[in-house]
């Protein structure tokens, strides 16, 4: 296996840049640059020199011995001054060494997976942590990266293996008089795992929304002040505003951080019977996006008929409160800002309530794997209730469920996913 290297910190000028080397010749490669290395897990300053003996930089050097490193291999980190030219010079010297090459995107993390330093869910948690923009996203990603989902899967897997072992023991002694009825213990184990899976599947939808962002749609008739309100929320001219009804033809999106929650506000086209084909397309898109949003804010006059009926928890406000005589609690004005702070507070409270239901599974892939496991468990439960004659079929359903859970954390059947997952990483990860 080659020894790989790459810049592990951000590109460009910085106070410090970190160059990571990993593989069987990592320590030897670093020794060529800086001479004697510090003891593993200790740091020391060293002078980095090229093959001609010219000084490249003074660096802080850290060494890690396999398997006690991020990748599970021998690793050296060179903390150099964050000059573009320094980084380039050090990488160039590493490229000249036999058996070393520049790492591919995500290759350090892929080696960590292959060496069982991380499971696949943790790898995805690391990717989510790198991409996190809000506090809620950071907390969720750290929880997954810490191995919480993998630990839960291990617990489910252990219970299912125990249940399968009980069934198969009964099958093995089918011709003998076995006084112990295993079905109560098996049913109890399956019931526990099924309930946990059902809760986790339900919570995965909210967790995925935290990862990708909640959507809040501004809905109303043409010229109701939706674009003006969006601009007020964004603090800039994100949407064109005009007294001419139907100005907004497409969905305009503004992404914001609301008290740590990622939220995208959608300014949709005014809902009415369209007067031309282009506006009709805009109205259709508005209805589609509004229906799919996590929350809708309706700007509607009292008694106004709405093309899209509000759902529970949706917010209905009277628009243009600056020129109407409505109470501040039910009115809003994007022009003056009246009621905007109250609206933001209501949106935050509604979405925060939903985050309380978030599970550990954060990706659709996780949910699909759990749903497969859940379906097999339900089948197994039904079969066990029909008597010992069908225990062999129930045991096979349990094995199917176990394989689905193992795929969730990357133990089996995920090779085709790895290239896609690791392609999102930078070279230094």
């Amino acid at each position: 296996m080659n020894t790989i290297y790459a810049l592990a910190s951000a590109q460009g000028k910085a106070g410090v840049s970190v160059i990571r080397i990993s593989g069987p010749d990592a320590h030897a490669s670093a020794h060529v640059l800086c001479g004697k290395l510090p003891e593993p897990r200790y740091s020391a300053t060293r002078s980095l020199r090229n093959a001609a003996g010219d000084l490249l930089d003074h660096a802080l050097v850290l060494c890690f011995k396999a398997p006690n490193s991020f990748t599970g291999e021998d690793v050296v980190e060179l903390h150099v001054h964050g000059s573009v030219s320094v980084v380039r010079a050090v990488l160039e010297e590493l490229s000249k060494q036999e058996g070393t090459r520049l790492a591919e995107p995500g290759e350090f993390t892929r080696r960590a997976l292959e060496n069982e330093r991380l499971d696949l869910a943790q790898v995805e948690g690391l990717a989510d942590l790198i991409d996190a923009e809000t506090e809620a996203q950071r907390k969720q990603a750290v929880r997954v990266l810490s191995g919480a989902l993998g630990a839960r899967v291990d617990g489910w897997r252990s219970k299912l293996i125990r249940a399968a072992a009980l069934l198969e023991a009964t099958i093995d002694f089918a011709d003998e008089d076995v006084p112990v009825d295993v079905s109560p213990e098996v049913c109890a184990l399956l019931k526990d795992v099924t309930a946990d899976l059902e809760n986790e599947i339900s919570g995965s939808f909210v967790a995925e929304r935290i990862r990708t962002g909640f959507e809040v749609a501004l809905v109303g008739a043409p010229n109701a002040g939706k674009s003006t309100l969006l601009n007020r929320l964004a603090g800039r001219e994100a949407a064109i505003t005009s007294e001419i009804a139907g100005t907004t033809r497409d969905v305009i999106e503004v992404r914001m951080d609301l008290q740590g929650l990622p939220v995208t506000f959608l300014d949709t086209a005014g809902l009415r019977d369209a007067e031309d084909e282009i506006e009709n397309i805009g109205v259709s898109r508005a209805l589609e996006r509004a229906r799919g949003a996590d929350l809708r804010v309706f700007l509607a006059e009292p008694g106004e008929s709405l093309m899209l009926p509000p759902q529970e928890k949706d917010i209905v406000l009277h628009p243009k409160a600056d020129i109407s005589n409505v109470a501040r609690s039910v009115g809003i004005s994007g022009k003056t800002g009246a009621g905007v702070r109250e609206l933001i507070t209501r949106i935050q409270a509604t979405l925060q309530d939903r985050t309380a239901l978030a599970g550990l599974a954060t990706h659709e892939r996780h949910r699909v794997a759990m749903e497969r496991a859940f379906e097999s468990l339900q089948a197994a439960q039904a079969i066990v209730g029909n008597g010992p004659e069908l225990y062999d079929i129930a045991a096979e359903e349990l094995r199917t469920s176990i394989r689905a859970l193992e795929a969730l954390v990357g133990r089996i059947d995920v090779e085709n996913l790895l290239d896609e997952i690791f392609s999102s990483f930078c070279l230094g990860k």
Side-chain angles (χ1 to χ4, degrees):
M1 179 178 287
N2 290 119
T3 295
I4 57 174
Y5 63 89
L7 177 65
S9 52
Q11 295 279 351
K13 185 169 63 175
V16 174
S17 292
V18 179
I19 296 171
R20 176 181 286 159
I21 313 168
S22 180
D25 297 325
H27 290 181
S29 296
H31 184 272
V32 171
L33 283 171
C34 63
K36 183 181 178 181
L37 299 178
E39 292 296 317
R41 310 188 75 82
Y42 285 86
S43 63
T45 56
R46 293 288 187 267
S47 296
L48 306 185
R49 297 182 182 275
N50 62 18
D54 298 328
L55 180 65
L56 301 177
D57 192 26
H58 295 288
L60 184 70
V61 180
L62 294 95
C63 296
F64 302 89
K65 191 74 175 173
N68 300 313
S69 69
F70 173 72
T71 62
E73 303 174 328
D74 286 349
V75 170
V76 177
E77 290 185 357
L78 307 175
H79 295 228
V80 300
H81 291 96
S83 158
V84 174
S85 62
V86 167
V87 170
R88 185 187 301 118
V90 175
L91 293 179
E92 183 178 350
E93 285 303 307
L94 288 170
S95 71
K96 297 175 182 177
Q97 296 186 21
E98 186 176 354
T100 65
R101 62 170 174 81
L102 187 66
E104 297 175 358
E107 190 169 4
F108 289 102
T109 308
R110 186 162 187 161
R111 291 190 178 193
L113 174 68
E114 292 169 349
N115 292 322
E116 299 184 354
R117 300 295 293 172
L118 298 173
D119 63 38
L120 190 55
Q122 287 177 289
V123 168
E124 290 165 316
L126 176 57
D128 292 341
L129 182 60
I130 292 170
D131 291 336
E133 297 176 341
T134 71
E135 182 65 5
Q137 290 173 324
R138 182 194 66 79
K139 287 181 177 179
Q140 179 170 274
V142 166
R143 190 166 55 154
V144 177
L145 177 58
S146 70
L149 179 58
R152 183 160 296 183
V153 169
D154 281 342
W156 295 334
R157 181 175 175 273
S158 296
K159 290 182 179 180
L160 296 185
I161 289 174
R162 168 67 179 169
L166 290 170
L167 294 178
E168 289 171 352
T170 301
I171 296 168
D172 290 341
F173 293 98
D175 296 332
E176 301 180 20
D177 184 16
V178 181
V180 179
D181 179 9
V182 302
S183 61
E185 183 178 355
V186 170
C187 289
L189 290 168
L190 300 191
K191 183 178 179 181
D192 286 348
V193 178
T194 301
D196 284 350
L197 275 172
E198 191 170 22
N199 289 334
E200 195 61 50
I201 290 168
S202 177
S204 69
F205 291 95
V206 179
E208 190 173 358
R209 271 311 201 194
I210 293 174
R211 185 176 64 84
T212 61
F214 292 97
E215 288 190 348
V216 177
L218 305 180
V219 184
N223 211 22
K226 300 184 297 298
S227 296
T228 304
L229 176 57
L230 180 74
N231 290 339
R232 171 68 66 168
L233 291 167
R236 59 184 174 86
E237 293 295 318
I240 298 172
T241 60
S242 168
E243 294 300 322
I244 301 173
T247 299
T248 301
R249 297 298 182 95
D250 206 347
V251 178
I252 299 172
E253 302 183 6
V254 173
R255 191 171 177 89
M256 297 175 61
D257 180 341
L258 291 188
Q259 291 293 309
L261 293 177
V263 178
T264 298
F265 284 94
L266 310 176
D267 177 20
T268 61
L271 301 184
R272 67 174 178 180
D273 293 329
E275 298 178 352
D276 59 65
E277 184 179 354
I278 299 300
E279 186 180 0
N280 185 56
I281 294 173
V283 171
S284 297
R285 288 182 178 178
L287 288 169
E288 181 183 357
R289 292 298 298 275
R291 290 190 182 104
D294 300 285
L295 182 67
R296 284 148 293 277
V297 177
F298 288 85
L299 302 184
E301 298 289 349
E304 181 181 335
S305 178
L306 300 172
M307 291 181 67
L308 182 67
Q311 301 177 17
E312 185 182 4
K313 299 292 187 180
D314 283 350
I315 299 171
V316 181
L317 297 171
H318 299 168
K320 301 183 179 181
D322 53 302
I323 58 175
S324 61
N325 296 319
V326 297
R328 185 180 180 90
S329 60
V330 295
I332 194 165
S333 170
K335 186 175 182 179
T336 65
V340 171
R341 185 180 297 275
E342 290 82 355
L343 171 62
I344 292 174
T345 299
R346 289 180 65 180
I347 293 172
Q348 288 172 352
T350 301
L351 297 181
Q352 286 286 2
D353 287 344
R354 295 186 187 181
T355 62
L357 303 174
L360 289 170
T362 57
H363 289 249
E364 183 182 8
R365 184 187 71 80
H366 303 163
R367 182 166 60 252
V368 169
M370 291 189 298
E371 287 172 344
R372 289 203 307 268
F374 182 79
E375 290 170 3
S376 295
L377 277 184
Q378 286 188 310
Q381 285 177 298
I383 293 168
V384 168
N386 291 327
E389 296 80 10
L390 299 177
Y391 278 3
D392 55 338
I393 300 176
E396 181 57 34
E397 290 289 354
L398 291 183
R399 285 191 286 270
T400 300
S401 183
I402 291 168
R403 286 194 293 270
L405 295 177
E406 289 176 336
L408 194 161
V409 292
R411 291 182 179 173
I412 60 169
D413 297 337
V414 293
E415 190 62 33
N416 60 328
L417 291 171
L418 297 184
D419 289 341
E420 179 180 349
I421 290 171
F422 289 114
S423 66
S424 66
F425 283 82
C426 61
L427 291 180
K429 293 304 288 185

